[in-house]
Amino acid sequence: MAFPQPKPEKAEMPSKLLRTVDCKQGAVRAVRFNVDGNYCLTCGSDKSLKLWNPYRGILLKSYTGHGYEVLDADGSFDNSQLCSCGSDKTVILWDVASGQVIRKFRGHAGKVNCVRFNEEASVIISGSIDSSVRCWDTRSRRPEPIQIMDEAKDGVSSLQVSEQEILTGSVDGRVRRYDLRVGQLFSDFIDSPVTSVSFSKDGQCMLSSSLDSTLRLIDKDTGELLGEYTGHKNSKYKLDCCFSDKDTHVGSCSEDGKVYFWDLVEGSLALAFSIGSGVVQSLSFHPRESKLLTAMEGNVQLWGKQSDEEETVD
């Protein structure tokens, strides 16, 4: 007689505050885990980019070179380089160890909202309020982009990069996926300005967040709407959405000072917890563990599972 398989344990979500870090860089516009989740980057309204050990609340390095507030950043696969973008219309490539600027890429006509490395960190992809996505070669000295994607009819708010694809969200209400292998563009109409986009870890789904306070789960290959998630508030600001580390949940920042997580399959609200009284500006889920970073005003919070070891909260 075959025994039934044990039901998989419900994924425990990070709702326990492990640490709060005062970043001392004005308002934190974005917080991002690095590729292995050991460090994080914070983008400040005071023009600085900072690298932290969030588990110990230790500042490892500050990077200064932007002329205006920093809006997004990404770390390379080997942690040797960073890229960042900001309201000064530039994209900057940094050397992590020395803190020096390696290259400044200029070409966008307006503030640059989002930036990502490709897998080998040979190309930086940036999206701007000027409605374009630009690809910059990090290894050559050429000042102009190697490719410009200008299909968006309004500002590009968010982008994600996988091995063969670029996913973008635009204020024109469309989620666009560029398949670089076949040179094709796939577009899905959301009917509300898109503020954030994300690939699922298994690469089969896309998540979009828009100003109608709704997250949408879309099948990547068919464009079919698989789920809608509501309950949070997002009508004014560009707020992040994400998948959890095992694709079991989707999460979003909110303008009511909370973070919300929904069960991906059931669509039910699994968790909502308060960060404070302001707008939760940004979040980043750990790549492999149930840990979460959130940003509100000048602080970043690290969240873990209820079973996590006690850590000192500053």
Side-chain angles (χ1 to χ4, degrees):
M1 175 180 155
F3 286 99
Q5 288 291 313
K7 222 176 158 189
E9 274 184 52
K10 255 203 166 344
E12 200 186 335
M13 299 303 290
S15 59
K16 176 183 176 185
L17 183 63
L18 301 180
R19 182 175 290 279
T20 298
V21 181
D22 179 0
C23 297
K24 297 184 171 60
Q25 56 182 150
V28 177
R29 296 299 182 209
V31 60
R32 303 283 179 250
F33 268 118
N34 75 323
V35 65
D36 50 24
N38 293 332
Y39 305 101
C40 74
L41 296 162
T42 56
C43 305
S45 63
D46 70 346
K47 314 176 197 173
S48 73
L49 174 67
K50 293 187 176 183
L51 177 67
W52 301 85
N53 177 330
Y55 307 100
R56 299 175 63 194
I58 295 172
L59 175 65
L60 301 172
K61 207 157 197 68
S62 289
Y63 303 84
T64 51
H66 276 287
Y68 210 62
E69 57 182 15
V70 187
L71 297 177
D72 198 10
D74 193 23
S76 64
F77 70 97
D78 59 358
N79 293 321
S80 68
Q81 295 180 331
L82 306 173
C83 63
S84 62
C85 64
S87 297
D88 59 0
K89 308 179 191 174
T90 63
V91 173
I92 298 183
L93 176 66
W94 307 86
D95 179 75
V96 168
S98 69
Q100 296 299 306
V101 173
I102 301 172
R103 295 279 307 283
K104 270 194 189 188
F105 300 100
R106 295 181 177 88
H108 280 296
K111 71 176 183 178
V112 188
N113 287 320
C114 44
V115 68
R116 289 288 177 273
F117 279 112
N118 71 338
E119 212 157 3
E120 301 83 38
S122 57
V123 177
I124 295 171
I125 300 101
S126 58
S128 164
I129 199 170
D130 69 5
S131 310
S132 76
V133 174
R134 291 171 190 244
C135 302
W136 312 90
D137 188 338
T138 61
R139 294 171 182 173
S140 81
R141 303 304 301 171
R142 58 185 283 177
E144 67 279 348
I146 51 175
Q147 193 171 355
I148 299 174
M149 287 96 104
D150 54 6
E151 287 78 14
K153 304 285 183 285
D154 208 329
V156 177
S157 58
S158 173
L159 65 82
Q160 285 289 319
V161 179
S162 73
E163 204 176 333
Q164 313 283 0
E165 297 167 311
I166 298 170
L167 182 66
T168 68
S170 169
V171 181
D172 67 9
R174 286 190 179 273
V175 173
R176 291 177 175 85
R177 179 170 61 90
Y178 298 88
D179 189 322
L180 305 177
R181 280 166 304 191
V182 294
Q184 265 187 297
L185 165 63
F186 302 90
S187 177
D188 294 288
F189 186 51
I190 301 295
D191 200 20
S192 175
V194 178
T195 63
S196 178
V197 289
S198 189
F199 278 123
S200 59
K201 303 284 186 302
D202 65 10
Q204 292 175 5
C205 298
M206 309 178 295
L207 184 68
S208 76
S209 158
S210 48
L211 290 183
D212 57 358
S213 301
T214 306
L215 260 58
R216 289 175 177 85
L217 183 69
I218 301 163
D219 183 288
K220 196 182 80 176
D221 293 328
T222 66
E224 182 189 350
L225 182 66
L226 300 174
E228 291 190 346
Y229 311 89
T230 56
H232 64 301
K233 283 201 180 94
N234 185 8
S235 58
K236 290 192 213 151
Y237 299 99
K238 169 184 163 0
L239 303 182
D240 289 336
C241 65
C242 70
F243 286 90
S244 65
D245 58 320
K246 293 188 174 69
D247 283 346
T248 55
H249 293 77
V250 295
S252 175
C253 300
S254 181
E255 290 162 12
D256 62 5
K258 294 180 182 171
V259 166
Y260 289 76
F261 278 96
W262 295 264
D263 185 288
L264 178 113
V265 178
E266 293 169 11
S268 54
L269 185 65
L271 180 67
F273 56 93
S274 182
I275 313 285
S277 56
V279 174
V280 186
Q281 197 70 65
S282 179
L283 55 76
S284 181
F285 213 100
H286 192 287
R288 288 189 302 276
E289 295 173 22
S290 193
K291 287 194 168 60
L292 178 74
L293 290 169
T294 56
M296 177 183 282
E297 291 158 352
N299 296 327
V300 162
Q301 300 81 21
L302 173 68
W303 303 84
K305 298 182 298 196
Q306 292 297 335
S307 56
D308 280 344
E309 304 269 310
E310 282 290 339
E311 295 192 34
T312 52
V313 178
D314 293 341

